Amino acid sequence: MSGPKAFRIVTRAEIIAICHRNLARLDAAIESWTAAGRRNGTIEQKDIEKVIARRDELRRLLNADRFVELQKQVAAEIGFLQVDSERRVEKAAEIAARSKRDLRRSKVAAEALLQRLQALKVEIPADIRSELSGSTGSSERLEANMAKALLLVPSQAALDTPTDRQRALADRHGAGERRETLQEWLSRQHQEMEDPGLARVDAVLGELRGLGIDSSPFSDRVALLEAESAARRSLVADSLLLDLAAAVKDGRARVRLANELRQRRAELSVMKSTEAASLRSEIEETLSSPSASNGQELVKRADFLIEEEFKAMAAEERRRAVLEGLASLGYEVSEGMATAWVDNGQIVLRKAANPGYGVELLGGSRSDLLQVRAVGIGSSAEIRDENRDRDMETIWCGEFDRLKALVAKAGGNVAMEFARPVGQFPLKIVSDPGVSHQAEIAERSYRELPLNRHN
């Protein structure tokens, strides 16, 4: 197959650029993972060091030209970080919900113990009374004071109301030799205090905290819910849960958008244009301002700019690789041909050893699909030697294989889309590319001359 061909080419420079973009995405994923972990207190410095060490190992794959392995492992690492971050957020939410439940239980238990001591007419030290009746403090602090208060309970009263038989046994063996522990007493209280509605609210509040969202706007409603009667609590909880669910949905969207902005900022950082630098600054400003509302617009603008600049770079590298390869095969390549290829959508290169023949290149400016074919150079009115034309097409077939080998040696790859057999189409005849190129240079030079305003 040595007639007209269509092919796609991926150059080493394009592959390296893809790897740099992947590594930039990984840096953004590490940043998001670290921010979430530190916010929730679920990662330690040693966890961060392990992730950074894995990132550095992946960077070394780039220096070793292990491009395919790098791309696979970077994708796997990003996926791991996302899953691990979600797992850690869930863990933080569970811890926050458990802490909330424990505090509520401790408050109710402290109130119950205070009432019991008062019913038994036990003198309670002022500091313990203050702690048990206070609305602030942690569950650990409350439990520490409950343990002190429980020691004030007379041993007979530490048990539930005894039966006659229990009373007799107590008289015989001595009641109160073993006092009920705090944990034993709390376990009985907790069974009585568990409320499904409050438990659901605690879980959602924990998720809000895990997402880094301030839950204080709901504090008053939660306090009212806690004070509601058991009969009305479920109804009130349902209403509160609807609003909490909306806040969680909004919070997830904000976190997702922030992660997307970090990824775009990282990808823009590997680009050198002033447009990329300017857009990166805008993204940084938005990330530092939680109230900013232009995040989605920035993501769209960044996607467009990144894609356009990457395509332009890849197309330029493809043209360079093809022209350099053809030059090494004996085709005449002169300065400005790459620009002419872009401007005209096609270009003809003469074979130095056979001036009446060459190759025509098309495409590649907006698409990665290139086309090439052997051509005759001269006038279409001239009588052609068809056998020689066929021979030159056959020679071009071998040269194209050599071109593919040159691209592969440089670290790229050529993939064929189609190739037509020799002789399927008549050899295309084109005008002398040297004359056309010189005329184009002359015309461009004329257009660039300053206007003579004296005429």
Side-chain angles (χ1 to χ4, degrees):
M1 296 292 182
S2 53
K5 310 177 193 303
F7 63 99
R8 300 180 191 276
I9 179 171
V10 179
T11 64
R12 173 185 171 84
E14 184 178 352
I15 295 171
I16 290 176
I18 291 172
C19 291
H20 278 303
R21 287 180 64 183
N22 288 340
L23 288 170
R25 292 191 191 106
L26 176 57
D27 285 337
I30 293 174
E31 182 183 359
S32 296
W33 175 84
T34 304
R38 283 176 170 165
R39 181 178 65 239
N40 293 308
T42 56
I43 60 172
E44 300 177 3
Q45 185 59 34
K46 63 180 182 181
D47 299 318
I48 299 174
E49 291 172 357
K50 288 179 181 178
V51 170
I52 296 300
R54 291 200 301 270
R55 191 274 313 277
D56 292 344
E57 187 65 29
L58 291 175
R59 284 180 173 175
R60 284 189 281 273
L61 293 179
L62 179 60
N63 298 329
D65 288 359
R66 293 160 63 183
F67 304 129
V68 174
E69 186 178 351
L70 182 148
Q71 292 177 61
K72 289 181 179 179
Q73 291 195 25
V74 165
E77 182 68 10
I78 290 174
F80 164 76
L81 290 173
Q82 290 172 342
V83 171
D84 186 67
S85 182
E86 291 171 1
R87 179 183 63 81
R88 291 175 186 271
V89 167
E90 290 175 1
K91 179 182 177 182
E94 292 172 1
I95 292 173
R98 188 183 310 120
S99 176
K100 188 75 174 177
R101 288 194 300 270
D102 290 346
L103 179 58
R104 183 182 298 112
R105 289 169 175 172
S106 295
K107 285 181 179 179
V108 175
E111 180 63 26
L113 180 55
L114 188 61
Q115 292 177 1
R116 188 171 187 184
L117 289 171
Q118 290 172 340
L120 292 171
K121 302 186 183 306
V122 173
E123 185 177 349
I124 307 170
D127 58 335
I128 294 179
R129 179 187 293 275
S130 175
E131 291 290 346
L132 294 182
S133 60
S135 58
T136 60
S138 64
S139 59
E140 292 81 4
R141 184 172 173 178
L142 276 173
E143 288 184 8
N145 282 278
M146 280 191 284
K148 296 177 183 178
L150 199 59
L151 295 175
L152 302 175
V153 178
S155 57
Q156 294 87 346
L159 301 171
D160 291 332
T161 303
T163 63
D164 291 341
R165 183 170 180 273
Q166 289 172 326
R167 225 181 254 113
L169 287 172
D171 290 341
R172 186 181 309 167
H173 298 292
E177 289 186 0
R178 178 184 181 279
R179 294 177 182 273
E180 185 176 30
T181 66
L182 175 63
Q183 293 306 317
E184 289 171 342
W185 189 79
L186 285 175
S187 66
R188 292 191 297 104
Q189 303 299 313
H190 291 171
Q191 289 174 4
E192 298 171 2
M193 291 185 290
E194 192 66 44
D195 183 277
L198 284 172
R200 293 198 304 273
V201 169
D202 288 340
V204 182
L205 286 172
E207 187 170 0
L208 278 178
R209 184 185 182 282
L211 293 169
I213 300 170
D214 181 18
S215 62
S216 60
F218 298 97
S219 298
D220 291 342
R221 293 177 65 183
V222 173
L224 290 173
L225 177 63
E226 292 173 341
E228 282 287 354
S229 63
R232 277 184 44 82
R233 188 172 289 162
S234 177
L235 181 63
V236 176
D238 288 342
S239 174
L240 177 56
L241 283 167
L242 286 174
D243 293 337
L244 285 172
V248 167
K249 182 180 179 181
D250 180 66
R252 288 174 179 168
R254 287 173 179 265
V255 169
R256 185 165 52 250
L257 179 58
N259 292 341
E260 290 179 356
L261 286 170
R262 290 190 187 100
Q263 176 184 317
R264 273 56 173 195
R265 180 183 62 183
E267 289 193 61
L268 288 168
S269 69
V270 302
M271 298 179 173
K272 307 302 181 184
S273 69
T274 56
E275 293 84 359
S278 176
L279 186 53
R280 188 169 68 249
S281 297
E282 289 186 57
I283 290 175
E284 288 174 351
E285 290 178 8
T286 297
L287 284 170
S288 63
S289 176
S291 60
S293 59
N294 62 337
Q296 290 292 354
E297 179 205 353
L298 289 175
V299 168
K300 291 179 181 178
R301 287 172 54 196
D303 285 343
F304 178 80
L305 181 60
I306 290 168
E307 192 64 23
E308 287 299 304
E309 291 205 9
F310 181 79
K311 282 182 179 179
M313 177 279 301
E316 181 181 352
E317 293 298 330
R318 284 193 291 269
R319 291 190 295 271
R320 178 182 291 114
V322 171
L323 291 175
E324 288 179 354
L326 290 174
S328 69
L329 295 175
Y331 288 85
E332 296 177 351
V333 177
S334 59
E335 185 179 354
M337 279 191 169
T339 302
W341 188 356
V342 175
D343 293 342
N344 302 327
Q346 63 86 226
I347 194 172
V348 175
L349 279 66
R350 185 200 303 271
K351 178 73 171 177
N354 299 283
Y357 294 90
V359 293
E360 180 186 45
L361 296 165
L362 300 95
S365 59
R366 304 300 299 173
S367 168
D368 61 348
L369 184 66
L370 302 175
Q371 297 182 54
V372 64
R373 66 187 298 168
V375 295
I377 298 174
S379 171
S380 58
E382 295 176 355
I383 298 175
R384 305 289 304 182
D385 183 342
E386 293 184 2
N387 289 330
R388 180 165 173 72
D389 288 349
R390 185 185 295 269
D391 290 342
M392 293 307 297
E393 281 196 88
T394 303
I395 291 173
W396 163 241
C397 178
E399 290 179 333
F400 186 78
D401 287 338
R402 290 168 61 191
L403 175 63
K404 291 195 294 183
L406 288 170
V407 172
K409 184 178 180 180
N413 176 62
V414 175
M416 294 299 302
E417 289 293 317
F418 66 80
R420 304 305 183 203
V422 172
Q424 182 176 1
F425 301 101
L427 187 71
K428 183 178 178 180
I429 308 302
V430 299
S431 59
D432 189 332
V435 174
S436 300
H437 186 53
Q438 291 300 323
E440 183 180 340
I441 292 175
E443 183 179 351
R444 187 183 300 118
S445 300
Y446 177 77
R447 289 198 302 265
E448 292 173 356
L449 287 174
L451 294 175
N452 189 343
R453 302 184 182 277
H454 298 289
N455 291 340

